[in-house]
Amino acid sequence: MASIPVDLQLAHDHGLSTDEYERIVRTLERTPTFEELGVFSVMWSEHCSYKSSRRFLRRLPTTGPAILQGPGENAGIVDIGDGLAAVFKIESHNHPSFIEPYHGAATGVGGILRDVFTMGARPVASLNSLRFGAMTHPRTAQLVKGVVGGIGGYGNSVGVPTVGGEVYFNAGYNGNILVNAFTLGIAPTDRIFRATAAGVGNPVIYVGSRTGRDGIHGASLLASREFDDKSEELRPAVQVGDPFTENILIEACLSLMRQDLIIGIQDMGAAGLTSSSVEMADRGKAGIVLDLDTIPTREAGIPPYELLLSESQERMLIVAKEGCEEAVQDVFATWDLQAVVIGEVTDDGLFRTTWRGEEVVRIPVAALTSQAPAYERPAARPADLTAQQRLDLGALPLPTDYAAVLTTLLTTPNLASKEWVYRQYDFLVGGNTVVRPGSDAAIIRLKASDKGLGISVDCNSRYCALDPYRGAAIAVAESARNLAVSGARPVALSDCLNFGNPEKPEVMWQFVQAIDGMRAACEALEVAVVSGNVSFYNETDGQAIPPTPTVAMVGIMDAVTHHVTQWFKHPGDLIVLLGETHEELGASEYLAAIHHQECGRPPRLDLEREKLLQQVCLRAAQAGLFSSAHDVAEGGLAVALAEACISHPQQTLGARVTLTGDLRPDALLFGESQSRAVVSVRPANWERLKALLRTSGLPFSVLGEVRGTDLEIVGSMKIATAALRQQWQTALAQQLLTVAT
């Protein structure tokens, strides 16, 4: 068989540097075959090897009393009691979604589902974090509709509810959108599976869909490179998903896992058959040999290079116990799925593949995994950051109409209701959703238990651009705060670290600062990082995205009936602010939307105060003292009050409050000081809550009460909540329609 000749230029075409190619030649003591070059290119890609990030990721706290599995597997695992575990992960599908928004987003959902059920967990909830360019950009509306359609089309069809998420717009994402997908599953703690190949002679079995030519080099040449004016040519590298096959694949795999037939199982995700087999062999300290002639294909004549690198969806790789091949095949036949023995585990520590009787790949597994390149890239603070952090409040004019400012803020794409988005998702399928999208955190129940789980996702990329350390710490704190105000105790998180080109010192500095900020917040709040993903090269024509370290956090509720939602419920309830407001307008939504400035430093974060606030909220929720509780975040106190009035699914309520403090009025109303929550409480519960607050030492102030049909902030504004709700609910859809036409 004639093979394509390999040289340095071909290695460069595969995204490998000169040093890396020379290292391959030294490792093999010969020139690699074309197939081996493809294998090295994907396994040494940034997406698979984490060669720029892995030494920094070790700084994050990854253990804790409830942590059963930290980073290094397909997903993280947390013990939630009663013999059950929560299995979860968030991962990026950014580049494919920009090239082909519907299929890119859809296959992002499919991939993260497989990462979870491959551990033995039934997926029960998904959420997402989406970032798009400016609403005025010509592609934004198309990208939003495509991505939302893809998420809904796949998630709804596969039968896993999409229970929450976030959507942000900023011109920094004009050239690179972000699509980060999260899934959580539930597994028995005594039946958790890992992606390990062990036991010499044990069969390697391919299950699921046939292999096609979609997704080839998705990991190495799509997710590990910058975009340019030729990016549209990469469209063939985007996979196409089939949620109906995924659905039966879930059932088949979970059925298989109830029997004692297999050693390990892994999704064929990025880099397809290559990464799944190599990573399983590495974890088992074993070798693996595959016969590529046995791979089920959609068409004849697919060459070995493409068989190894295809990222066709809905495929899994299993290492079964020797002698159990027929039993495994019978399980999958029940679900009308293929299960084909394609190789076996060896003890030689090599990744070997044959095709038409010839060995086309022979590489030490360690050379592709633990011995892959790891770089200490230079890091340097951006030269213009100090200037960007300056904000002269004295030169900032005060508004003349605060009601108009509030209305403007609530109709900006970032603060407007996202109902247009989540109405396209099935968030009730499965019957476990207790709090649906639209509150601070999603809450799901655990069947056959009193317990519940809270899930939230957060990141303010403007904060991170202006101070990546503080911005990343706030992302952790706010995600935890959203759980705490909802009544769930934060336990662990999965992160999706989205950055530009790590070969640029300024980007590397942002990344390292963000890691250190996350570490500080995780340690203070006693939250572990159990899984995640790094997405570099989110950059087009040299313009990087704002640093976006997205945090998806999971919390435990001992009694799901103690959940709390953000909206006011009862006229006559007292409205109380927990925490303090400072004169902080830097990096705020108010500054960007009203004054068209993205500058200043993000608000300060006192982690001890943050921890105290969360502890108080949890104790109050468990005692049933809150009627509602809502994190004060983007848009500040006025926006939080308005959202509490208008975000109830069926009704609007009014409020009359008085704000006091020796601050600029706009800072008092719209500043984004951290560690605050707006809560409402029945008068009968006030004395108990007040005693808790005074004992804790947490600052608080009574603002007013729930009443009437207007939001009245004495001395600043009075605005009808029904009209405000209508504008808030329809703004995003109207703006998308306007841009699209």
Side-chain angles (χ1 to χ4, degrees):
M1 177 192 67
S3 182
I4 295 174
V6 173
D7 57 18
L8 180 59
Q9 182 55 54
L10 188 60
H12 288 168
D13 293 342
H14 279 68
L16 294 162
S17 69
T18 299
D19 288 344
E20 287 170 344
Y21 177 67
E22 292 174 351
R23 181 170 175 169
I24 291 168
V25 173
R26 289 197 304 272
T27 297
L28 299 178
E29 298 182 342
R30 57 178 169 79
T31 300
T33 66
F34 181 55
E35 292 77 16
E36 288 172 333
L37 185 70
V39 168
F40 272 109
S41 74
V42 292
M43 294 306 298
W44 284 9
S45 69
E46 194 70 59
H47 189 78
C48 292
S49 74
Y50 286 32
K51 57 191 176 186
S52 299
S53 62
R54 64 178 186 257
R55 74 186 187 98
F56 297 105
L57 297 175
R58 297 189 185 104
R59 299 182 182 182
L60 296 171
T62 58
T63 60
I67 308 306
L68 301 179
Q69 177 66 58
E73 268 288 346
N74 285 298
I77 307 178
V78 173
D79 189 336
I80 55 178
D82 300 328
L84 296 175
V87 181
F88 57 92
K89 186 181 182 182
I90 189 170
E91 192 163 70
S92 63
H93 225 231
N94 303 334
H95 291 69
S97 300
F98 183 75
I99 296 296
E100 178 51 69
Y102 185 95
H103 292 298
T107 52
V109 174
I112 200 66
L113 287 168
R114 290 192 297 278
D115 279 341
V116 168
F117 76 73
T118 193
M119 306 288 291
R122 176 173 295 280
V124 296
S126 292
L127 49 75
N128 50 75
S129 174
L130 311 177
R131 296 290 191 282
F132 298 100
M135 188 62 77
T136 54
H137 190 271
R139 282 203 68 190
T140 294
Q142 171 214 353
L143 289 167
V144 173
K145 293 173 182 177
V147 166
V148 171
I151 292 170
Y154 202 102
N156 298 352
S157 299
V158 84
V160 177
T162 301
V163 297
E166 60 170 2
V167 186
Y168 275 83
F169 297 82
N170 185 281
Y173 302 102
N174 283 349
N176 286 84
I177 65 172
L178 301 183
V179 175
N180 295 174
F182 170 95
T183 289
L184 179 143
I186 303 297
T189 53
D190 62 353
R191 201 163 66 236
I192 291 170
F193 290 82
R194 292 174 169 83
T196 300
V200 175
N202 279 334
V204 177
I205 302 177
Y206 173 119
V207 303
S209 296
R210 292 175 177 270
T211 295
R213 286 175 148 153
D214 51 334
I216 294 168
H217 270 302
S220 61
L221 295 187
L222 186 57
S224 300
R225 57 163 282 173
E226 296 181 29
F227 280 167
D228 54 31
D229 57 4
K230 296 183 179 179
S231 293
E232 288 296 318
E233 298 173 7
L234 298 173
R235 190 177 299 273
V238 178
Q239 314 94 321
V240 177
D242 177 358
F244 301 103
T245 298
E246 181 100 339
N247 198 323
I248 59 174
L249 186 61
I250 292 172
E251 298 304 329
C253 287
L254 293 179
S255 175
L256 176 73
M257 291 167 175
R258 288 192 283 270
Q259 305 178 51
D260 187 24
L261 300 175
I262 67 174
I263 301 296
I265 179 170
Q266 170 130 332
D267 162 42
M268 289 192 221
L273 179 62
T274 290
S275 66
S276 55
S277 52
V278 167
E279 289 170 3
M280 291 181 79
D282 178 64
R283 293 189 185 105
K285 306 302 179 188
I288 201 164
V289 60
L290 305 177
D291 180 359
L292 300 181
D293 293 298
T294 61
I295 303 294
T297 59
R298 293 187 206 145
E299 60 184 271
I302 299 180
Y305 177 94
E306 296 185 18
L307 293 171
L308 286 163
L309 302 187
S310 170
E311 295 180 7
S312 295
Q313 297 292 286
E314 292 84 43
R315 302 180 302 159
M316 310 288 285
L317 197 67
I318 291 171
V319 174
K321 294 182 178 180
E322 191 171 6
C324 294
E325 297 90 335
E326 187 173 340
V328 171
Q329 290 168 333
D330 287 345
V331 170
F332 283 92
T334 301
W335 296 93
D336 199 25
L337 290 170
Q338 296 183 100
V340 179
V341 177
I342 64 168
E344 66 179 35
V345 179
T346 67
D347 61 0
D348 59 12
L350 297 174
F351 175 52
R352 295 184 288 128
T353 69
T354 62
W355 190 65
R356 295 182 180 176
E358 294 186 30
E359 189 172 73
V360 294
V361 173
R362 185 183 184 89
I363 304 173
V365 169
L368 298 169
T369 54
S370 60
Q371 295 172 13
Y375 297 121
E376 296 187 19
R377 300 198 186 277
R381 178 186 170 96
D384 58 351
L385 184 57
T386 300
Q388 293 174 6
Q389 290 178 338
R390 293 194 189 103
L391 174 61
D392 181 3
L393 288 180
L396 196 69
L398 290 170
T400 56
D401 186 342
Y402 289 104
V405 170
L406 178 60
T407 302
T408 298
L409 286 173
L410 286 168
T411 55
T412 60
N414 287 345
L415 298 182
S417 169
K418 303 306 184 295
E419 187 173 353
W420 178 87
V421 174
Y422 63 74
R423 282 292 176 189
Q424 299 182 54
Y425 305 151
D426 187 339
F427 44 77
L428 297 178
V429 63
N432 297 317
T433 307
V434 176
V435 176
R436 59 185 65 185
S439 194
D440 283 305
I443 305 293
I444 61 171
R445 68 171 57 86
L446 297 175
K447 290 181 177 175
S449 170
D450 293 332
K451 290 185 175 180
L453 294 177
I455 318 169
S456 65
V457 61
D458 283 285
C459 181
N460 185 312
S461 56
R462 187 181 298 121
Y463 289 177
C464 295
L466 291 166
D467 187 332
Y469 180 98
R470 190 178 292 184
I474 289 174
V476 173
E478 185 177 351
S479 193
R481 191 186 316 140
N482 281 328
L483 292 174
V485 299
S486 303
R489 174 174 54 87
V491 176
L493 68 85
S494 184
D495 56 30
C496 198
L497 308 178
N498 307 274
F499 290 80
N501 183 345
E503 298 166 49
K504 296 182 177 179
E506 295 79 9
V507 170
M508 205 64 215
W509 181 85
Q510 291 174 333
F511 179 79
V512 175
Q513 289 288 304
I515 289 288
D516 288 345
M518 289 181 63
R519 177 184 62 186
C522 287
E523 290 175 347
L525 301 176
E526 300 178 61
V527 172
V529 180
V530 297
S531 60
N533 160 238
V534 178
S535 176
F536 278 134
Y537 295 98
N538 292 288
E539 193 157 325
T540 296
D541 293 329
Q543 183 63 46
I545 62 162
T548 313
T550 302
V551 171
M553 197 172 298
V554 174
I556 299 174
M557 305 182 67
D558 292 329
V560 74
T561 53
H562 290 162
H563 72 270
V564 183
T565 50
Q566 71 179 38
W567 41 80
F568 295 146
K569 298 173 182 66
H570 311 293
D573 278 3
L574 297 176
I575 301 170
V576 183
L577 173 66
L578 309 185
E580 294 178 295
T581 303
H582 304 286
E583 196 161 82
E584 297 174 302
L585 287 173
S588 66
E589 194 71 24
Y590 163 76
L591 194 65
I594 304 303
H595 296 281
H596 310 294
Q597 297 181 41
E598 297 198 16
C599 62
R601 293 195 71 189
R604 290 163 288 173
L605 177 64
D606 181 333
L607 287 167
E608 287 303 312
R609 173 66 58 83
E610 180 67 42
K611 185 175 182 179
L612 179 60
L613 171 75
Q614 294 184 24
Q615 290 172 337
V616 167
C617 287
L618 288 170
R619 290 178 61 188
Q622 290 163 3
L625 301 181
F626 290 155
S627 296
S628 70
H630 185 22
D631 162 44
V632 180
E634 287 86 355
L637 185 53
V639 166
L641 288 164
E643 289 172 339
C645 289
I646 66 179
S647 62
H648 190 289
Q650 281 89 38
Q651 67 177 357
T652 61
L653 289 172
R656 187 177 191 273
V657 301
T658 301
L659 306 184
T660 59
D662 188 21
L663 303 177
R664 287 174 56 107
D666 52 355
L668 190 61
L669 290 165
F670 309 117
E672 297 174 5
S673 295
Q674 295 297 293
S675 309
R676 295 183 297 165
V678 168
V679 305
S680 63
V681 55
R682 302 309 304 264
N685 289 330
W686 171 234
E687 290 302 322
R688 291 172 62 200
L689 178 60
K690 183 165 59 174
L692 171 61
L693 292 169
R694 286 179 171 168
T695 301
S696 72
L698 180 71
F700 68 94
S701 54
V702 178
L703 302 182
E705 68 175 7
V706 180
R707 56 184 266 185
T709 58
D710 297 326
L711 171 58
E712 181 181 1
I713 301 177
V714 175
S716 296
M717 68 183 76
K718 185 175 183 179
I719 186 167
T721 52
L724 194 61
R725 176 187 172 101
Q726 196 276 335
Q727 292 175 285
W728 172 74
Q729 279 187 318
T730 59
L732 182 60
Q734 288 179 347
Q735 290 172 54
L736 287 169
L737 179 63
T738 299
V739 172
T741 56

